Amino acid sequence: MMSSSYSCFVELLDGNVDDIEFKYKKNDKGQALLDHVCKELKLEEKDYFGMRMTNKDKQKRWVDLTKPLYKQFKGINPPRTVKFRVKFYPISATKLKEEISRYQLFLQLQRDLRKGRLYCTFEEAARLGSYIVQASLGDHNVEEHEPGYVSEFDLFPTISEKLRGRIEELHSTTMSGETASNCEGDFIEEASHLMTYGIDPFQVTDVGNTSLILGFSFRGVLLLRNGAVLDSTEWELVKKISHDGKHLHITGISGQATKVKRSFHFPSSAESEHAGRCALEQQAFFSDNPQLTLRRSGSFIIKRNSFKFKGKTVKDAQEKSQSIQRVEPHVNRIRPQIRSRRSRSLNDNGDDSGIPSVPEEHSSSPQKLFDEDAEGKLMPPMDPEDLHLPEPPLMEEQPVELERNVAQEQMIAAEVLNVMEEIKPAEDDVTDLGRKQEPDEPMPPLEDVIRAETSNHVHTLPPREDPTPLKAQNSAPVSHAAPRSKESNHAVHPGNPAGKTNSGGLGIIGKVLLTLVLLICAMVVFVVVLFETKVSFLDPVRGLEQVKMAESLYYQPSRGVVLEHANHIYSDVLQPSARYVHTQWHRVVTKSAPQK
């Protein structure tokens, strides 16, 4: 009987879906799908690429190359569609040996620019657009290329007339004579210097509930807010990545060579785990460390691995590129997507997200724009003429707002102190009895103070350290009495002025000891059930060689010793005790019984 086969369609970087159909069986893994697609595209440098899918929960995920496709596609109704994408963006175009590989990366970056994953300034956007136009149309021709011809290209989500004109100007001047291959390489080099090149961004919040963008790329971990890079950590300085529920924890080394742990909150635990996997894969690939593991935080007793990287590294990919010995295949280039006759901004198209623009004169500190496209990525730049000028970023207003809050708190504190100074009595007028002493009233003797305190049911007094008689102290100043506990109305010893006990530390120690005792009891019960019963579901555990060795070396000798001591206790202690109790009970019953 032949096993059932399934099929899925592959969406390529040029947008075609029906070109490649892959039929797989139940045990075929994700690597077979990637190999098939790369074979159809004549790609040898396939370690940089991956497959994207939408799981049954409508979440975007990378296809796991080490797991069966049947399990990953389970619950997805046909037709099943996966997307061929660049997963690990090379540091530069020179890392790719073949032109056909660079062309696929060029298509991916075109899509990133069109969908919003690349941010660039006005001039950078103009150069990138001119590279695309030159690679598609060739040299500028006055007769064929009338003014406004750039509007046919779908380069950005929105584009202004000023940016179109600048692209046409660069195309007609500086791009003259450039081949399509050179334009693609220059485009990749230009894009690789952008901060958002190749990042996998996630919307998160920090411990202060501040909305941030967390991204991973070959550079490391990037943290962005309101268009500015707040923090950037290279992979060599990231020491640990773990997740706990909806939180992702990244531990790194700061500039002072001290460990710093940053925690980020995600909308769901699934998103947190997915972000942790993406971060671990990027770190393992570009740091050439395939032994990295994503930890799942949990109990201090039991911790288990969540995900371990099993793929290739950048070193493996470069070695594979250098070992290619073949005639490079012909590159079948297609023209970029044509714009669907829309030149208005996104806000004119029913989008009420309020996307700000970027002033050209402030391009050195650009505002990064984000939007939720099919993969939840970044919005690209827009010309200042399209939309209104953005207000100053929120992060720049925080110091001013903080100063205002501090000033207000200081004013309130000063008012409170003034009120307290007005209502409290003078220190010289307050006695140890806590009442106001009239200036002309004589100080009561210490014996009266003690008698008054005793009448208030004070059962314990602090031990006297000074053996001087009480009468000799009448002339000495009276010190303040020790404070009393409000709950028990008892005097408090000087060594414990707050009336507190040390039960907090003992409570923690008790909890730890109780946890250890429960753990030992659970282990004993498990061992007894494992070796003394015949429960069927534990048969695989009993069949392990380590378990058999432990049973013969440790359990059986210990069992013999325990049974010997148990028999000794039963015969020498329990049985005599039982006979003695029975005899005494019999005597009591016999004496109390009425005689006939």
Side-chain angles (χ1 to χ4, degrees), residues 352-369:
D352 57 354
S353 59
I355 301 173
S357 61
V358 183
E360 182 179 0
E361 59 271 15
H362 294 88
S363 59
S364 60
S365 178
Q367 173 91 14
K368 291 183 174 50
L369 313 173

Side-chain angles (χ1 to χ4, degrees), residues 41-56:
L41 296 176
K42 302 178 181 179
L43 286 175
E44 289 290 337
E45 300 171 288
K46 56 187 178 183
D47 294 330
Y48 296 97
F49 301 90
M51 310 300 300
R52 294 277 287 183
M53 61 171 288
T54 304
N55 61 13
K56 61 181 180 180

Side-chain angles (χ1 to χ4, degrees), residues 258-273:
T258 58
K259 285 189 177 182
V260 178
K261 182 178 180 180
R262 300 291 299 271
S263 299
F264 304 98
H265 180 79
F266 286 77
S268 64
S269 59
E271 286 296 323
S272 172
E273 183 176 2

